[in-house]
């Protein structure tokens, strides 16, 4: 078996040979090749992340809204620290010795070897002075960053803000590291991936004196940062500012949409705040203050607040009634201070009676709509209340109610339009009829809608039957278009001919004779169409609502205004809406209406509200 | 009693000493690799270095138990142990915990056990048992099938977890088969296949074809000791290729160079075979068959590479071959590893002073990349020392294996050497960039209960068998 004996030598030799090759390779890497070898002074690599500039945001006419400013964080690497002159350092960066000591201790506790932040966002002046002296402070270095800056103090809710990532975010998206920023609300959040660009990295060799000795491996492993893309938002900043002014000292929201494209011209939630409060070092303090404010300025009422639509909903019921054929333009119902049937009485204000369809909208008669609603639900064409209600519900949701509109705003609420099951569960199957849910006729009851859904409805009516999903970004630089879903028409199930009839009623609301609920909204030479609403509020004074669009033909703006605890729709919401419309279409308020503007500007509903409580 | 004392004096204490040294060095390296300033005691149980001590103590207990057990137990129960681990491997696929995308662990309370580690020992035992059977040799075809099954079945189960690295370990058993007399042709074939594999990945098809044809002609010349005929064959192929080229030009369609040569080759086969028949030339068919097989294999390598291997596996191989550079992505581990090791210089940066590993630049530094800490903190002297220690251990184990009178013990011993050798080569080779990144532990060094215990059992069963070598006969 000679060959077998030879074999064990073969195996032994193989083992030794391979190990020798390894030793040779190790010799090469460790002793000979200087690209890996570091000198006795212990050079180390420093990974300097290149943070790209975040994309800028402009308004629809190209005015700059959000931009970036350079900021510098002072970092320390505790292991490289040597004795240094703390007094001079503290003076240069303007902090007390105790603060420096505390921060250094925190850094050491976190890690002796990994860098920590000593002081965030030094000003460029401080940075310039410090940079020259930094060699005297081994272990310290500066990490450049960019901070957001706002050209204006308005549109805080739409633009959103940016903040530091936390551990949860890092776990979900490893692109981010501690100390990175991410959009937290508004456009900053919904377009985060577009705005943030892509980080790059430069690897430097740094000696023990904290001096950069050059790029590691000639920059072979460096990657360049990619700038974030700029955005053009659909906002008209002038209109936005005006809206926020009008809403000062009031709670509520304004949403104005261009019906021809679905672009949001203005989105106001009041009370609001100055976006500059939430950047930089003052952010944590200010955020806490805003969070604790009982009026909730951080809350975006336009998309996150749910209200009953009130009388504005009559427009919908009118359209459904026409479409279902249970009424026509001339159908009349009488009203004796309200509607009475089956032991239920729905009240109404005093007015002439009977009314036809356009008049019912103009005068906003509750009784009329109780009748219309019952005709829709009790329609003998359907086999049951449930079936008829389901049909009614489908019309309603085709306007975008009861679901998220899928805009590019964050934190949208879906609102609430009850499914038949809801009533089945509460009243039992076949335990409810049209009279049971009669409050839906006048936009009360279980209905919940958001202001943006209302504005979208106004736009739908303006378009005579379809809408584009409202969106707040017009285009992304370089791509020139936005998501497909914003260019698709969403049709309601109602013929456009029926819209015209209802629009006639809405026209009369503003421009009709006595009894019209919103003559205060009339503007010279502009045909404004609208509808008032007064939403009952079990916790206080009713909310004032108004929807409108103008001009009547080829409308350019559709708007919804909600003013909380403000009483009748015509008192506050209608004037605000009409001022917004005039401002947008004419550019200024006519002299004859200046008094109205003054009244609105001076109106203070918040402090009255407090008194009431 | 006398028996016990006898064993005591027959234990190969040298190996035990080597084992203890390696385990100890491994332990302090884990300490250095994941040193956490806030838990600076090496006995701190919340840190890996503290836990490793527990695993070490348990391993020593296991070693003692192995010695108490009767020697014949291992050969007697070899198949049962093997069968049991197969069940465990199947079980882990079903009820195992999924970690990092692979079902490789059983989780029992706070404990985690990796059956793949223990399967290596079981396979070595089973293989040794089979091959030591009466009249069982590696030349018998039927036996080869059984051998293949014994080795491949656990490998396949492990591959399904998926844990490609641990599955690849089973390739190391080829060393055992070599020692037991398998035809050397298998190994040359294996090496050729490996070379062809890498060439395929590194070169274009055209160059490969030219090389293969040239090699085939050269082989023919060697085998028949006739250069003229080989050259003639080459001429015929070249002429056919030229014909095909002209043809393609005439027909107007564009043929790639590869296609032209390939078609030319096929066309040339006809006159070559005719001549071979007429002139009664030898070995022509064999050479042609090998050429055909090589071409098919080469193509299937491409196919497998593109369609069967996963993205990260492709990239790891590419990076190792230098075809791709991705220092911040998939190549990150290796690059950081090389930097860490390379930065150690001749004598290293000193204990606990490794900056690269401190910075956590090297991922998995207490497990797969534990060698980096050695390299960075102890330098070339340290790395060489560790390599030399492993070499001494392996050679010593070879000597132990060879001095066995029982073929079961000898074959098992070779199994131990093969497995340990494979792990050392792949793990360390990976850290210095000679081998693609394959995640397998460094024996006795990498953190982990399962791997430490499995290697301890692997080693001490051999020592047990060795201690009784004078008694056993089969």
């Amino acid at each position: 078996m000679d060959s077998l004996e030879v074999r064990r030598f073969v195996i032994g030799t193989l083992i030794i040979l391979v190990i020798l090759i390894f030793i040779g390779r190790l010799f090469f890497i460790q002793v000979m090749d200087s690209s890996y070898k570091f000198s006795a002074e212990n050079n180390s690599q420093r990974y300097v992340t290149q943070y790209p500039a975040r994309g800028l945001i402009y308004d629809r006419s190209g005015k700059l809204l959000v931009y970036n400013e350079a900021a510098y964080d002072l970092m320390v690497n505790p292991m490289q620290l040597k004795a240094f002159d703390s007094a001079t350092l503290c003076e240069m960066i303007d902090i007390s010795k105790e603060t420096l000591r505390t921060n250094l201790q925190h850094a050491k506790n976190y890690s002796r070897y990994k860098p920590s932040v000593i002081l965030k966002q030094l000003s460029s002046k401080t940075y310039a002075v410090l940079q020259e002296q930094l060699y005297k402070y081994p272990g310290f270095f500066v990490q450049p960053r960019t901070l957001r800056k706002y050209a204006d103090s308005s549109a805080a809710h739409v633009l959103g803000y940016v903040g530091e990532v936390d551990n949860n975010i890092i776990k979900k998206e490893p692109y981010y590291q501690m100390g990175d920023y991410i959009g937290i609300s508004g456009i900053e959040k919904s377009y985060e991936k577009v705005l943030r660009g892509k980080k790059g990295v430069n690897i430097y060799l740094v000696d023990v004196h904290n001096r950069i000795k050059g790029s590691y491996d000639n920059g072979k492993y460096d990657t360049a940062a990619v700038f974030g893309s700029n955005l053009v938002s659909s906002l008209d900043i002038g209109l936005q500012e005006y809206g926020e002014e009008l809403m000062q000292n009031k709670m509520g929201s304004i949403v104005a949409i261009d019906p021809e494209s679905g672009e949001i011209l203005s989105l106001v939630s009041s009370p609001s705040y100055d976006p500059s409060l939430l950047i930089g070092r003052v952010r944590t303090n200010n955020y806490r203050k805003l969070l604790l404010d009982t009026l909730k300025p951080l809350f975006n009422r336009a998309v996150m607040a749910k209200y009953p639509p009130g009388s504005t909903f009559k427009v919908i019921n009118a359209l459904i009634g026409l479409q279902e054929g249970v009424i026509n333009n001339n159908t009349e119902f009488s009203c004796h201070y309200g509607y009475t049937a089956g032991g239920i009485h729905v009240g109404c204000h005093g007015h002439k009676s009977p009314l036809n369809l356009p008049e019912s909208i103009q005068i906003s008669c509750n009784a009329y709509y109780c009748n219309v609603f019952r005709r829709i639900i009790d329609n003998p064409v359907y086999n049951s209340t449930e079936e008829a209600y389901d049909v009614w519900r489908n019309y309603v949701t085709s306007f975008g109610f009861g679901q998220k509109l899928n805009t590019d705003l964050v934190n949208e609420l879906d609102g609430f339009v009850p499914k038949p099951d809801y009533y089945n569960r509460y009243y039992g199957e076949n335990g409810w009829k049209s009279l049971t849910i009669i409050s839906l006729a006048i936009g009360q009851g279980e209905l919940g809608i958001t202001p943006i859904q209302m504005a979208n409805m106004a736009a739908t009516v303006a378009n005579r039957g379809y809408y584009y999903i409202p969106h707040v970004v017009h285009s992304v630089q370089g791509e020139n278009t936005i998501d497909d879903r914003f260019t698709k028409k969403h049709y309601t199930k109602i013929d456009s001919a029926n819209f015209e009839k209802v629009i006639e009623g809405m026209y009369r609301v503003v421009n009709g004779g006595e009894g019209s609920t919103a003559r205060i909204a009339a503007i010279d030479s502009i045909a404004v169409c609208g509808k008032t609403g007064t939403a009952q509020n079990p916790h206080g004074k009713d909310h004032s609502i108004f929807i409108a669009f103008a001009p009547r033909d080829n409308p350019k703006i559709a708007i919804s205004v909600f003013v909380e605890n403000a009483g009748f729709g015509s008192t506050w919401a209608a004037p605000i809406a009409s001022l917004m419309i005039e401002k947008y279409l004419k550019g200024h308020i006519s002299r004859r209406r200046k008094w109205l503007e003054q009244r609105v500007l001076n109106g203070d509903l918040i402090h009255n509200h407090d008194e009431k409580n | 009693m006398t028996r016990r004392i006898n064993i005591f004096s027959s234990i190969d204490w040298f190996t035990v000493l080597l084992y203890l040294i390696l385990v100890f060095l491994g332990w302090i390296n884990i300490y250095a690799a994941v040193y956490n300033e806030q838990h600076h005691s090496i006995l701190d149980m919340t840190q890996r270095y503290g836990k490793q001590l527990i695993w070490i103590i348990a391993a020593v207990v296991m070693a003692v138990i192995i010695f108490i057990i009767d020697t014949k137990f291992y050969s007697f129960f070899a198949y049962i142990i093997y069968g049991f681990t197969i069940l465990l491997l199947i079980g882990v696929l079903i009820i195992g915990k999924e970690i990092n995308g692979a079902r490789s662990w059983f989780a029992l309370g706070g404990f985690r056990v990796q059956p793949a580690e223990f399967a290596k020992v079981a396979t070595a035992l089973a293989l040794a048992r089979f091959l030591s059977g009466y009249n069982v040799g590696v030349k018998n075809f039927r036996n080869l099938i059984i051998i293949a099954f014994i080795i491949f079945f656990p490998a396949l189960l492990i591959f399904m977890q998926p844990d490609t690295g641990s599955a690849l370990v089973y390739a190391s058993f080829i060393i055992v088969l070599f020692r037991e007399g398998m035809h050397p042709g298998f190994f040359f074939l294996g090496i050729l296949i490996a070379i062809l594999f890498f060439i395929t990945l590194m070169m274009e098809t055209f160059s490969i074809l030219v090389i293969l044809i040239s090699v085939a002609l050269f082989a023919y010349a060697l085998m028949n000791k006739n250069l003229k005929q080989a050259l003639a064959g080459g001429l015929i192929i070249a002429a056919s290729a030229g014909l095909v080229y002209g043809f393609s030009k005439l027909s107007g369609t564009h043929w790639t160079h590869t296609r032209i040569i390939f078609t030319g080759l096929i066309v040339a086969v006809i006159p070559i075979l005719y001549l071979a028949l007429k002139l009664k030339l030898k070995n022509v068919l064999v050479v042609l068959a090998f050429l055909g097989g090589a071409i098919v294999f080469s193509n299937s390598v491409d196919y497998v590479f593109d369609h069967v291997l996963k993205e990260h596996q492709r990239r790891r191989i590419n990076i190792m071959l230098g075809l791709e550079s991705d220092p911040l992505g998939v190549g990150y581990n290796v690059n950081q590893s090389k930097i860490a090791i390379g930065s150690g210089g001749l004598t290293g940066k000193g204990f606990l002073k490794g900056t690269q590993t401190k910075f956590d630049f090297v991922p998995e530094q207490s497990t797969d990349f534990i060698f980096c800490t050695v390299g960075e903190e102890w330098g070339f002297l340290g790395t060489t020392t560790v390599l030399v220690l492993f070499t001494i251990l392996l050679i010593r184990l070879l000597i132990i294996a060879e001095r066995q009178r029982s073929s079961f013990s000898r074959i098992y011993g070779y199994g131990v050497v093969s497995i340990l050798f494979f792990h050392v080569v792949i793990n360390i080779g990976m850290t210095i960039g000679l081998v693609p990144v394959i995640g397998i532990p460094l024996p006795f060094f990498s953190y982990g209960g399962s791997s430490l215990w499995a290697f301890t059992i692997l080693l001490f069963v051999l020592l047990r068998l060795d201690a009784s070598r004078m008694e056993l006969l089969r």
Side-chain angles (χ1 to χ4, degrees), chain B residues 72 132 405-409 468-474:
Chain B
K72 299 200 189 47
S132 62
R405 289 161 69 189
S406 131
S407 46
F408 171 79
S409 310
S468 309
R469 67 182 175 282
M470 294 321 236
E471 302 165 17
L472 298 172
L473 211 38
R474 255 181 95 248

Side-chain angles (χ1 to χ4, degrees), chain A residues 7-8 25 30 47 113 221, chain B residues 178 182 327 336 359 432:
Chain A
R7 290 181 180 215
R8 69 177 111 117
R25 168 83 168 169
Q30 292 187 294
Y47 284 72
Y113 303 94
Y221 298 108
Chain B
F178 178 73
M182 203 160 88
Q336 287 308 315
F359 268 108
I432 54 181

Side-chain angles (χ1 to χ4, degrees), chain A residues 162-178:
Chain A
V162 152
E164 271 186 49
V165 294
D166 63 19
N167 272 325
N168 290 330
I169 299 178
I170 295 180
K171 249 187 257 175
K172 268 188 263 173
E173 301 249 354
Y175 171 80
Y176 298 101
Q177 302 159 328
M178 283 311 268

Side-chain angles (χ1 to χ4, degrees), chain A residues 108 143 146 186 221 297 337 356 475 499 517 578:
Chain A
K108 284 195 197 125
Q143 172 77 54
T146 55
Y221 298 108
Y337 289 96
N356 63 25
S475 61
F499 279 92
T517 54
S578 100

